[in-house]
């Protein structure tokens, strides 16, 4: 698939996916969502890639939301379909990937943009970043998981206030709320995520993917996360990575994980 709205850079096992529509502040139109799905899927399936980073092109925006011009005339049915398809192919898809996904929020992350960042496994932000779910100012609610993931990350009260006011918060406030883990000058965003990715890549990819699954299970209704943890913990004992990790520790050397 030819990529028109996405740039992909691969560096030392880290795939950085840039959403690349800077003239529209990287707003997510249908084509971009499809390209993101294809790109994320292909890098997740590539065993050489140990960490995925999603960011926006340029210095102004991560993603300024879903592309308003595409859905302004939608019916109720078309609106539901837009949300359900988007959630399936992109937002839930990213949350459940086996490869760790970091959002590097380099500017505005609004509406679908903040929802995309929240679907990633964790977030870092540049000092100029501004985040919000402005959907109620357009007469709609967040439809890409925002009403569910925002309260998970910041608590019900902050989520209610952010969604009701449709306002933006700055990066430091987002850090205080627990929405982002780190805030750094924009010019340090790349080196910061590469440093974190390097630390992640020292560890077992199999164990990390099982940890992602178990942590996500905590937020699923009707699923016993403790049972998932027990199963995944046991399954780790049958992996080459576990043998390598424990042997390397006992031999006082660095583990060389192969991811199987
Ligand atoms: N959908 C479609 N186009 C968008 C967009 C979106 N979510 N966000 C920005 N754009 C477009 C603008 O229409 C403009 O295009 P144009 O030059 O062809 O007119 C271009 O991106 C630049 O945006 P502009 O509004 O001129 O930049 P700004 O610096 O004055 O304001 C924002 C920046 C982020 C405050 C403003 O663009 C905005 O409020 N965007 C919409 C945010 C939103 O409601 N997102 C949720 C959607 S569900």
């Amino acid at each position: 698939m030819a990529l028109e709205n996405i740039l992909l850079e691969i560096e030392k096992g880290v795939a950085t996916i840039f959403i690349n529509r800077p003239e529209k502040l990287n707003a997510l139109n249908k084509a971009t969502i499809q390209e993101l799905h294809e790109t994320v899927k292909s890098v997740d399936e590539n065993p050489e890639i140990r960490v995925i980073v999603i960011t926006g092109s340029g210095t102004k925006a991560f993603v300024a939301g879903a592309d308003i011009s595409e859905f302004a005339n939608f019916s109720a049915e078309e609106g539901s379909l837009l949300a359900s398809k988007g959630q399936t192919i992109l937002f839930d898809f990213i949350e459940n990937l086996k490869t760790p996904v970091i959002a590097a929020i380099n500017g505005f992350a609004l509406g679908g943009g903040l929802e995309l960042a929240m679907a990633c496994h964790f977030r870092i932000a540049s000092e100029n970043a501004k985040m919000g779910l402005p959907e109620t100012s357009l007469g709609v609610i967040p439809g890409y998981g925002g009403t569910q993931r925002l309260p998970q990350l910041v608590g019900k009260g902050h989520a209610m206030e952010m969604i009701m006011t449709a306002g933006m918060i700055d990066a430091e406030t987002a850090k205080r709320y627990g929405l982002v883990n780190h805030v750094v000058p924009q010019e340090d965003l790349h080196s910061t995520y590469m440093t974190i990715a390097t630390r992640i890549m020292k560890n077992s990819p199999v164990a990390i993917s099982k940890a992602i699954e178990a942590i996500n299970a905590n937020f699923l209704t009707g699923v016993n996360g403790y049972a998932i943890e027990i199963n995944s913990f046991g399954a780790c004992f049958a992996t080459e990575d576990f043998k390598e990790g424990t042997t390397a520790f006992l031999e006082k050397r660095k583990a060389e994980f192969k991811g199987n």
Side-chain angles (χ1 to χ4, degrees):
M1 174 186 202
L3 298 178
E4 288 178 5
N5 304 289
I6 298 288
L7 297 174
L8 175 63
E9 275 180 23
I10 295 182
E11 180 188 2
K12 298 178 188 157
V14 179
T16 304
I17 299 170
F18 294 84
I19 297 146
N20 187 37
R21 299 181 75 211
E23 71 293 347
K24 294 288 174 194
L25 302 186
N26 303 324
L28 292 178
N29 60 1
K30 211 171 142 194
T32 307
I33 288 180
Q34 188 60 40
E35 287 179 27
L36 266 171
H37 169 78
E38 305 288 343
T39 309
V40 163
K41 184 167 185 288
S42 80
V43 291
D44 182 56
E45 286 167 356
N46 179 347
E48 305 286 307
I49 304 296
R50 297 280 181 96
V51 174
I52 300 168
V53 176
I54 299 182
T55 193
S57 280
T59 53
K60 192 170 170 184
F62 174 74
V63 169
D67 192 319
I68 299 167
S69 65
E70 273 193 349
F71 61 72
N73 298 315
F74 272 15
S75 65
E77 204 174 32
E78 288 170 314
S80 298
L81 200 62
L82 178 76
S84 71
K85 181 154 190 225
Q87 289 194 17
T88 305
I89 70 166
L90 191 58
F91 298 82
D92 295 353
F93 187 74
I94 287 175
E95 184 167 58
N96 294 306
L97 282 191
K98 62 182 187 338
T99 311
V101 190
I102 304 171
I105 304 175
N106 58 311
F108 289 114
L110 301 174
L114 182 56
E115 290 172 300
L116 178 63
M118 291 193 294
C120 296
H121 297 133
F122 63 90
R123 289 143 291 283
I124 62 178
S126 58
E127 287 167 344
N128 65 318
K130 292 257 186 323
M131 284 156 258
L133 292 179
E135 285 87 346
T136 60
S137 72
L138 299 166
V140 68
I141 67 167
Y144 287 144
T147 63
Q148 306 304 297
R149 292 193 182 97
L150 188 61
Q152 287 169 7
L153 289 162
V154 305
K156 187 173 171 183
H158 287 314
M160 285 282 190
E161 184 176 342
M162 283 177 68
I163 291 172
M164 287 176 189
T165 61
M168 293 185 209
I169 58 171
D170 62 18
E172 278 306 330
T173 308
K175 188 173 170 211
R176 191 156 44 80
Y177 284 7
L179 186 52
V180 303
N181 294 6
H182 307 278
V183 177
V184 296
Q186 189 159 54
E187 59 274 21
D188 297 342
L189 201 54
H190 173 263
S191 62
T192 303
Y193 74 65
M194 286 304 289
T195 302
I196 297 171
T198 304
R199 290 177 61 194
I200 292 172
M201 288 188 290
K202 289 188 176 138
N203 303 318
S204 155
V206 183
I208 286 172
S209 71
K210 294 210 174 295
I212 291 170
E213 198 186 343
I215 293 168
N216 282 343
N218 183 237
F219 300 96
L220 297 173
T221 316
V223 171
N224 182 341
Y226 292 96
I228 303 275
E229 184 183 273
I230 289 165
N231 279 340
S232 293
F233 179 77
C236 288
F237 285 70
T239 66
E240 289 299 317
D241 274 8
F242 175 74
K243 281 193 194 76
E244 169 61 11
T246 48
T247 307
F249 177 82
L250 295 171
E251 290 175 356
K252 301 191 188 304
R253 61 171 174 83
K254 271 192 191 158
E256 299 264 342
F257 293 113
K258 300 269 184 325
N260 50 35

